Amino acid sequence: MPRENDGIIRVGIGYDSHRFARGRALILGGVTIPSEMGLEGHSDADAIAHAVTDSILGAAGLGDIGELFPDTDPANKGRDSIEMLEAAVARVAGAGYAVSQIDVCVIAEVPRLTAHREKIRFSLGRALGIDSTSVSVKGKSNEGMGWIGRKEGLACIAVATLKKNS
Ligand SMILES: [Zn+2]
């Protein structure tokens, strides 16, 4: 007789945005991307890592990145977001789930991500404990519209699929 949650698939969504700032590194998915502008934030402002973290926490019903790593905690200032993602993966595993696949969409006018996509997939795959072929990263412009179009910042959406460990 199978238990209630055997073989269950869960899906979660994560969203993040950060403002561009001069004098900051641009780090996306744990990869430093050469750019005139970086992203402003309490941590290293890695919008991909933050959205992916929220997507896996959401899928497992474990709250969000702000609860796990409050920005009022000085320990989180300038913190490596890949390290936070790894901590979230451990939480998810503790709740009995394994990450099976991630799909990421970055909405930005600049920079173009194509040249960095494989590196980002590999970096995220390593943090998530899955093969990079199970990590998808797509870049989209906002067709010049709104705050993204004015290059004030970028946004990222991530969808995660988790599988219940048997
Ligand atoms: Zn963020």
Side-chain angles (χ1 to χ4, degrees):
M1 182 84 175
R3 283 172 303 168
E4 193 190 346
N5 284 334
D6 270 358
I8 200 167
I9 300 281
R10 296 181 68 140
V11 174
I13 188 168
Y15 170 83
D16 196 33
S17 61
H18 283 269
R19 186 182 287 275
F20 284 125
R22 291 195 185 277
R24 294 262 307 176
L26 177 62
I27 301 170
L28 288 173
V31 175
T32 302
I33 293 167
S35 167
E36 224 174 272
M37 303 283 264
L39 293 170
E40 204 170 84
H42 188 75
S43 68
D44 61 9
D46 185 334
I48 291 185
H50 295 171
V52 170
T53 301
D54 262 356
S55 71
I56 67 167
L57 290 173
L62 290 174
D64 64 40
I65 190 170
E67 288 170 46
L68 224 59
F69 307 102
D71 62 9
T72 48
D73 185 346
N76 295 327
K77 193 168 162 55
R79 192 164 176 176
D80 179 350
S81 297
I82 288 293
E83 189 192 300
M84 293 195 261
L85 175 56
E86 285 166 351
V89 170
R91 282 284 186 101
V92 164
Y97 294 99
V99 178
S100 49
Q101 175 251 332
I102 299 282
D103 193 10
V104 174
C105 183
V106 179
I107 307 114
E109 299 297 324
V110 284
R112 295 272 176 232
L113 287 183
T114 318
H116 312 284
R117 194 156 56 187
E118 290 312 306
K119 260 188 165 174
I120 295 171
R121 292 175 76 196
F122 184 80
S123 165
L124 289 174
R126 191 172 43 191
L128 293 161
I130 58 177
D131 195 85
S132 65
T133 55
S134 297
V135 180
S136 156
V137 176
K138 305 190 293 286
K140 287 285 288 182
S141 89
N142 212 41
E143 301 288 342
M145 294 181 287
W147 62 269
I148 294 175
R150 290 191 297 273
K151 302 175 186 170
E152 291 172 15
L154 59 74
C156 181
I157 297 165
V159 173
T161 310
L162 310 184
K163 228 176 140 180
K164 182 89 180 164
N165 288 325
S166 46

